[in-house]
Amino acid sequence: TFINIIAGKIVQDDGEVRRAQNLRIGYLDQHATLDKTITVMDYLKGAFTYLDEIHARLEKIYEDMGTTIVLAILHKSKVYFAYAGDSRAYGLRDGRFIRLTEDQTYVDYLYNIGKMKKEEMSTSSERHKLLNALGIYPTISYSLFISKNDFDSILLCSDGLYNNLNDSSMAE
């Protein structure tokens, strides 16, 4: 009875039913007469066809999207770093702020092979093109290194921080 009320098939005896805006309900009548030309599975899927359509649209939107990551695991006297993309790790040691990771971006690649100057990197229209990220390739690819844990502090951050603050501001 509840499902029939929610689906609008019958009117409730008393009270009020409030529906969220833009709410769609997949409804299957419990006394349905099945079409003998379709399978039970296809009949069940039919109640939620619109979800398949939404899923297909979302898949298209997110097709080429991924995420960057940086992580640090402190174990005894060592720090294990792993990263993909342009999320960074910095270490503060004896008052010096040290960048520990290398961005896996197209402009860093161009800089490393001598095709771009350091001062051009921050204004290049290519600066956000990633060469590596989680979720854009069928397998996971990341860089890993181990360091002696002689840091006073470790900072892990994304480009949202280092694009808006210089190294001395982050060190503070």
Side-chain angles (χ1 to χ4, degrees):
T1 303
F2 174 72
I3 296 298
N4 284 324
I5 292 171
I6 296 298
K9 299 287 184 180
I10 62 173
V11 178
Q12 72 275 6
D13 295 332
D14 193 16
E16 180 181 355
V17 175
R18 292 187 186 180
R19 292 180 178 85
Q21 291 182 359
N22 299 319
L23 177 69
R24 291 189 63 183
I25 299 170
Y27 175 77
L28 296 169
D29 189 332
Q30 65 183 351
H31 302 291
T33 304
L34 296 178
D35 179 347
K36 293 181 182 184
T37 63
I38 64 169
T39 66
V40 171
M41 184 59 81
D42 287 339
Y43 177 75
L44 294 173
K45 286 181 182 177
F48 302 101
T49 302
Y50 72 96
L51 290 177
D52 289 335
E53 293 164 2
I54 292 170
H55 182 261
R57 287 196 315 258
L58 289 174
E59 284 289 316
K60 185 67 179 155
I61 290 169
Y62 295 119
E63 190 172 82
D64 296 324
M65 296 186 95
T67 187
T68 65
I69 188 170
V70 61
L71 63 92
I73 299 171
L74 287 73
H75 181 68
K76 298 184 181 179
S77 62
K78 299 195 183 305
V79 185
Y80 299 80
F81 293 96
Y83 63 98
D86 62 353
S87 289
R88 294 181 181 173
Y90 292 88
L92 185 63
R93 179 188 300 134
D94 300 324
R96 288 184 34 242
F97 196 58
I98 307 156
R99 183 169 150 192
L100 303 171
T101 55
E102 294 182 21
D103 290 350
Q104 297 169 338
T105 62
Y106 185 58
V107 294
D108 276 74
Y109 167 75
L110 292 175
Y111 173 75
N112 288 332
I113 64 169
K115 300 282 184 182
M116 183 175 279
K117 296 178 183 168
K118 186 80 166 169
E119 49 277 356
E120 296 173 316
M121 293 172 70
S122 64
T123 58
S124 171
S125 62
E126 308 286 325
R127 71 184 176 278
H128 297 294
K129 286 191 177 178
L130 298 172
L131 298 180
N132 191 17
L134 299 181
I136 60 174
Y137 301 115
T139 59
I140 296 173
S141 173
Y142 58 89
S143 296
L144 176 69
F145 70 95
I146 303 168
S147 173
K148 181 179 174 186
N149 187 7
D150 59 353
F151 301 105
D152 301 316
S153 297
I154 295 172
L155 171 66
L156 306 177
C157 65
S158 70
D159 60 346
L161 181 66
Y162 67 76
N163 280 340
N164 293 294
L165 296 175
N166 59 32
D167 286 359
S168 60
S169 295
M170 287 192 294
E172 291 176 9

